[in-house]
């Protein structure tokens, strides 16, 4: 966004809480952190020079490599000179008379700006359950999303992990065998599909480079922002054996290619085929875990495959439970009651622990936005407006909050896609919109109430027709006690969404109100 706005000749200041670039990949340094999107598409597509001078080493990039990539991009595009690091934005207030925002930082600095753009991420405010007794726990504890920048030696420790989402699964398979004992506190099992990570060979890489234009075109024009094909759109007319064959082939390919066995929207809306796929994975889990009782605890039955974000298995996750030094504790059956000075007490036992790792996720989608005290027109706060759940138009604009753009905001495809594709689409759309406003002499843009209401209804209706409502997921805010539960990302596909956004822009920003503020003081170049 910074790069594009500079290209438009605007003056831009970026505020960043961390002391370096990287966002998610700056904060999530836990052992095993890796991206589930394949590396060659988990990067920027807009500048060819970036592909030419960067080479990914593995099919899925590890956290240090992604962080190094983002540092490389920041240097190459000379971004750092406009970024204020270690600076937390605490509030942003819209002033109607001048049509400007005043952004305030924790240091007390106040900046006046014509446009206020948030790029705070969808999964950036960590969520930690409020367990009794944590203050009295005499061991060490960490949250995976605030991992220290140093190696932690678990060697002699009894380590406990709470959480078996994507993060927990990566951490558990990486640390199983590296600690004296690992105890996993699982509330809900998940469907982990083998990622099938491997180094990227020279020939394969040359092929990727030679075909990048085509790869990006297919990724942009896809539901999930990934350039993968499916042979059969649906499973209609296929026998059980043929379906099994397709699934087995995709299982061998691994990662998100498995989710492309059939068209992903179909998998997520057809309960019958979804159950066949879910059962296929359940059988794989049963095959991998030696102890049948442990296996059954690891088999998910409470939600359909894909109705929660599907995790990946990089390191024989299920095999980890065959080790003598790894124990699975079902805290759905016997919940965690409290921390004690020596460990964790559940409803039916006590576990002695030296270290506890919270892999308990995030206050997703809205948490980081609402952590900033945002006040729009007529003194309305975003927190008050979103009390019953987020309301946006396209996930880009909010009625009552003029000249605020939210990159990967609620009700945009964001987390249901390969994120860089969704981010780039938003960045391009916002930059084009600002350029259009300048060309036409507009000072202000605001989503209309009608357009916003229709968009929220549209998003909800699409989600209701899919299987998402059958899972207690962070997609719906169900992981944070007390949070309003509403499905938040746009589930209609990045391809369709892009078309809608292009049509809106082509129609003079249909659904937005644009106007001039005659007496507004000009804020030069902002
Ligand atoms: O968080 P989660 P995450 N007692 O919310 C458990 C992305 N990501 O950090 O399922 C006991 O998925 C909770 O249990 P339950 C990816 O989009 C991407 O793992 O609510 N347990 C669950 O098991 C992912 O989806 C990559 O019953 C409690 C876990 O904590 C998203 O980040 C890598 C509990 C939280 O799982 C979030 O993943 C990693 C309690 N009181 C993550 N409270 C990539 O590769 C919560 N839990 C790109």
């Amino acid at each position: 966004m910074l790069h594009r706005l500079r290209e438009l000749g605007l003056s831009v200041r970026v505020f960043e809480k961390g002391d370096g670039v990287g966002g998610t990949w700056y904060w999530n340094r836990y052992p095993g952190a890796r991206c589930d999107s394949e590396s060659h598409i988990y990067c920027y597509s807009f500048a060819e020079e970036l592909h030419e001078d960067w080479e990914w080493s593995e099919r899925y990039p590890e956290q240090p490599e992604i962080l190094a990539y983002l540092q490389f991009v920041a240097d190459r595009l000379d971004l750092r000179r406009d970024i204020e690091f270690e600076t937390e934005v605490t509030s942003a207030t819209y002033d109607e008379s001048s049509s400007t925002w005043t952004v305030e930082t924790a240091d007390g600095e106040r900046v006046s700006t014509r446009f206020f753009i948030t790029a705070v991420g969808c999964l950036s405010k960590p969520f930690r359950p409020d367990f009794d007794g944590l203050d009295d726990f005499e061991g060490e504890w960490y949250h995976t999303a605030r991992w220290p920048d140093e190696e932690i030696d678990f060697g002699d420790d009894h380590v406990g992990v709470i959480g078996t989402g994507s993060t927990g699964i990566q951490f558990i398979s990486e640390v199983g065998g590296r600690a004296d004992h690992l105890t996993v506190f699982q509330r809900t099992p998940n469907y982990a599909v083998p990622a099938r990570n491997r180094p990227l060979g020279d020939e394969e890489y040359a092929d990727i480079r030679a075909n990048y234009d085509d790869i990006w075109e297919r990724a942009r024009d896809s539901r999930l922002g990934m350039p993968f094909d499916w042979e059969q759109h649906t499973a209609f007319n296929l026998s059980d054996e043929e379906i099994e064959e397709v699934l087995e082939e995709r299982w061998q390919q691994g990662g998100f290619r498995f989710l492309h066995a059939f068209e992903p929207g179909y998998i997520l809306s057809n309960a019958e085929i979804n159950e066949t796929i879910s059962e296929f994975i359940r059988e794989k889990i049963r095959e991998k875990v030696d102890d049948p009782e442990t296996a059954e605890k690891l088999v998910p039955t409470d939600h359909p495959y894909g109705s929660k974000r599907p995790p990946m298995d990089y390191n024989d996750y299920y095999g980890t439970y065959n080790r003598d030094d790894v124990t699975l504790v079902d805290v759905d059956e016997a919940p965690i009651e409290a921390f004690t000075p020596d460990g964790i007490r559940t409803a039916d036992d006590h576990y002695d622990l030296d270290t506890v790792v919270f892999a308990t996720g995030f206050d997703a989608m809205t948490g980081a936005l609402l952590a900033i005290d945002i006040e729009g027109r007529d003194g309305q706060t975003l927190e008050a407006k979103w009390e019953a759940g987020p309301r946006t138009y396209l996930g880009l604009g909010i009625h009552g909050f003029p000249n605020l753009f939210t990159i990967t905001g609620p009700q945009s495809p964001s987390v249901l896609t390969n994120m860089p594709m969704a981010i780039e689409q938003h960045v391009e759309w916002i930059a084009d919109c600002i350029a259009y406003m300048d060309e036409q002499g507009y000072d202000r843009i605001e989503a209309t109430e009608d357009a916003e209401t229709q968009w929220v209804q549209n998003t909800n209706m699409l989600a209701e027709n899919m299987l998402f409502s059958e899972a207690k997921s962070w997609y719906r805010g169900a992981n944070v006690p007390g949070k309003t539960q509403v499905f938040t990302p746009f589930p209609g596909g990045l391809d369709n969404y892009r078309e809608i956004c292009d049509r809106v822009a082509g129609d003079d920003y249909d659904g937005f109100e644009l106007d001039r503020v005659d007496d507004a003081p000009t804020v030069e170049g902002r």
Side-chain angles (χ1 to χ4, degrees), residues 94 96 99 377 393 397-403 405 429 433 436-437 442-452 504 507-517:
Y94 183 69
E96 215 167 343
S99 188
R377 234 176 357 90
Y393 179 39
I398 303 168
H399 177 66
F401 296 78
N403 291 7
F405 295 108
W429 193 94
C433 177
Y436 173 87
M437 286 176 71
Y442 288 120
D443 300 298
R444 191 164 61 183
I445 183 166
E446 181 181 342
T448 68
E449 195 165 11
D450 275 358
E452 183 179 273
V504 166
D507 243 346
D508 292 329
Y509 293 89
D510 187 24
F512 287 95
E513 211 169 83
L514 289 131
D515 52 27
R516 297 173 180 86
V517 185

Side-chain angles (χ1 to χ4, degrees), residues 231-395:
E231 284 108 59
Q232 282 86 10
H233 181 75
T234 71
F236 289 126
N237 300 327
L238 292 188
S239 66
D240 290 353
E241 291 72 32
E242 284 166 331
I243 293 174
E244 174 93 13
E245 224 170 88
V246 172
L247 293 177
E248 186 57 43
E249 192 190 323
R250 292 296 174 144
W251 186 260
Q252 295 310 325
Q253 292 176 11
F256 279 116
R257 294 182 196 234
F258 181 75
L259 185 57
H260 287 74
F262 303 99
E263 198 276 319
Y266 167 72
I267 291 178
L268 289 169
S269 53
N270 186 309
E272 203 180 322
I273 186 66
N274 189 295
E275 176 53 23
T276 304
I277 297 171
S278 301
E279 193 49 35
F280 176 89
I281 303 174
R282 291 180 196 126
E283 270 311 303
K284 294 285 188 193
I285 298 171
R286 290 183 184 111
E287 279 166 23
K288 279 170 175 267
V289 182
D290 296 344
D291 172 38
E293 213 177 297
T294 306
E296 279 320 305
K297 283 184 180 162
L298 288 163
V299 164
T301 50
D302 71 307
H303 67 282
Y305 167 65
S307 58
K308 282 181 162 185
R309 160 68 152 73
M312 300 295 158
D313 173 5
Y314 291 92
N315 218 355
D316 193 19
Y317 171 64
Y318 293 109
T320 307
Y321 294 96
N322 296 332
R323 301 181 60 94
D324 291 339
D325 53 8
V326 176
T327 305
L328 179 68
V329 177
D330 183 347
V331 292
D332 185 38
E333 219 168 73
I336 295 175
E337 287 187 336
F339 275 69
T340 67
D342 309 320
I344 287 180
R345 191 179 71 234
T346 66
D348 65 2
D349 216 335
H350 182 275
Y351 298 86
D352 284 344
L353 300 166
D354 305 299
T355 303
V356 174
V357 173
F358 288 89
T360 47
F362 302 87
D363 179 356
M365 311 302 290
T366 54
L369 274 171
L370 292 176
I372 304 172
D373 192 4
I374 299 177
E375 189 180 306
R377 234 176 357 90
D378 307 323
Q380 187 186 29
T381 64
L382 192 60
E383 194 175 16
K385 170 156 178 143
W386 284 4
E387 207 183 343
R391 297 179 61 77
T392 75
Y393 179 39
L394 302 172

Side-chain angles (χ1 to χ4, degrees), residues 30 34-36 163-167 187-188 308-309 359-361 474:
Y30 59 87
R34 199 181 273 281
C35 181
D36 296 340
T164 52
S166 297
T167 302
R187 192 165 63 181
T188 318
K308 282 181 162 185
R309 160 68 152 73
T360 47
W474 59 256

Side-chain angles (χ1 to χ4, degrees), residues 3-4 7 43-51 73 77 216 220 424 428:
H3 179 65
R4 277 294 284 128
E7 285 181 338
C43 48
Y44 295 112
S45 75
F46 66 85
E48 215 169 290
E49 59 165 308
L50 298 177
H51 310 140
V73 175
L77 303 178
W216 290 130
R220 282 194 196 105
E424 283 191 347
E428 283 157 18

Side-chain angles (χ1 to χ4, degrees), residues 86-118:
E86 294 182 89
T87 306
E88 184 176 354
V89 171
T90 49
S91 73
T93 310
Y94 183 69
D95 174 32
E96 215 167 343
S97 64
S98 61
S99 188
T100 55
W101 283 91
T102 300
V103 175
E104 192 164 353
T105 70
D107 308 336
E109 191 188 358
R110 290 159 66 89
V111 177
S112 176
T113 176
R114 187 171 152 216
F115 294 106
F116 171 44
I117 303 175
T118 62

